[in-house]
Amino acid sequence: MATVSRRRSRSDRKAALIVLAGGLVGTTLLALALTGSLSAFTAAITNTTDTVATGSLVLRETDGTNTCTSTSSSTNAANCATINKYSGSTLLPGGSATKTVTLANDGTITPATFTLTPGSCSQSGSVSGITPASDFCAQVTLKIYAAATATGSPIYNGTLSAFSSPVTLSALAPSSTQPYTFVVSLPSSLGNSYMGLTASQPLTWTFSS
C-alpha cells in the first residue's frame, strides 16, 4: 500500500507541474497577443521639424542724414525728432520748402496696410507788439508725393488744418523702399499778423499686419 501511495504522489506532482507549465505558457501567449508583440509588420513616420514661427514688421525712415527705426523702442513704435518732414524752413509769403524721406521695410513680412496718419496741427510764436493771426495752420498748404521728387499727382493736397485723416499707402515688401516728398508753401497774400509763427503737426507712419 505504501508503494502505491508513493506512486500516486509522484504522479500527482507531475500532473501539477504539467498544469502549472501549461498555465504559464498560456498566460505568456495571451500577453503577447494583447500587446501585438507577435506582429511582424510595422510602419512609422517621425516628423522631426514640426515648428511654427512669427514674422516681423520693422519700419525705417531716413532723410539721407538722419535715420529712425521702429525697433529703437521696445514697443516697436518709436518717436523720431530728428526728421522734419515739413523741412523746418523759415518761409516768406509765397515761399515753399521741399523735403524727401525714404521709408523701408526691414522686417520679414509684407504689411497688410501702410498708412500715414496726421495729428492735429497747432501754431505757436508771435512778434512783440503785433497781434498774431490764429489760423496759420489753415494758411500752410501741404502736398505729398509718393516719389523722390515733387512730380506726378500728390497723394495729399490741402492745408495742414484739413489734413486730419490717414493716407493709405502702397504696402512695402520686405527689403523694399519707397521715397515720399513733402512740399509746404505759403500764400503770397499773408500780412504782418502771420510773422513769427510756427505750425507744428505730428505725422505717424504705420505698418499693420
Side-chain angles (χ1 to χ4, degrees):
M1 293 298 290
T3 301
V4 172
S5 178
R6 285 194 295 272
R7 288 177 179 173
R8 287 180 177 175
S9 179
R10 286 196 297 270
S11 177
D12 290 342
R13 287 197 297 271
K14 289 181 179 179
L17 290 173
I18 292 172
V19 171
L20 178 60
L24 291 174
V25 171
T27 301
T28 302
L29 291 175
L30 177 60
L32 291 175
L34 291 176
T35 59
S37 298
L38 292 181
S39 173
F41 299 141
T42 63
I45 295 176
T46 299
N47 301 113
T48 59
T49 55
D50 304 310
T51 63
V52 62
T54 60
S56 63
L57 288 176
V58 179
L59 184 57
R60 173 168 49 88
E61 179 185 22
T62 181
D63 63 359
T65 301
N66 304 289
T67 297
C68 294
T69 305
S70 62
T71 51
S72 63
S73 163
S74 61
T75 61
N76 204 27
N79 291 323
C80 178
T82 58
I83 297 177
N84 187 336
K85 287 186 278 292
Y86 293 169
S87 79
S89 300
T90 299
L91 302 179
L92 297 174
S96 64
T98 299
K99 180 78 170 187
T100 298
V101 298
T102 299
L103 278 295
N105 182 352
D106 288 346
T108 61
I109 60 177
T110 300
T113 61
F114 180 27
T115 57
L116 176 62
T117 302
S120 297
C121 180
S122 61
Q123 73 171 61
S124 60
S126 64
V127 172
S128 179
I130 297 177
T131 301
S134 61
D135 64 341
F136 187 47
C137 288
Q139 299 300 322
V140 182
T141 296
L142 169 67
K143 293 182 180 181
I144 306 174
Y145 300 85
T149 58
T151 56
S153 298
I155 57 177
Y156 177 78
N157 183 4
T159 65
L160 299 188
S161 61
F163 190 20
S164 59
S165 300
V167 176
T168 300
L169 309 171
S170 298
L172 291 177
S175 301
S176 63
T177 61
Q178 174 63 54
Y180 292 93
T181 298
F182 294 73
V183 181
V184 290
S185 59
L186 299 178
S188 57
S189 59
L190 290 186
N192 288 344
S193 63
Y194 290 95
M195 291 194 301
L197 301 183
T198 298
S200 178
Q201 186 171 37
L203 301 176
T204 303
W205 307 100
T206 304
F207 280 168
S208 296
S209 61

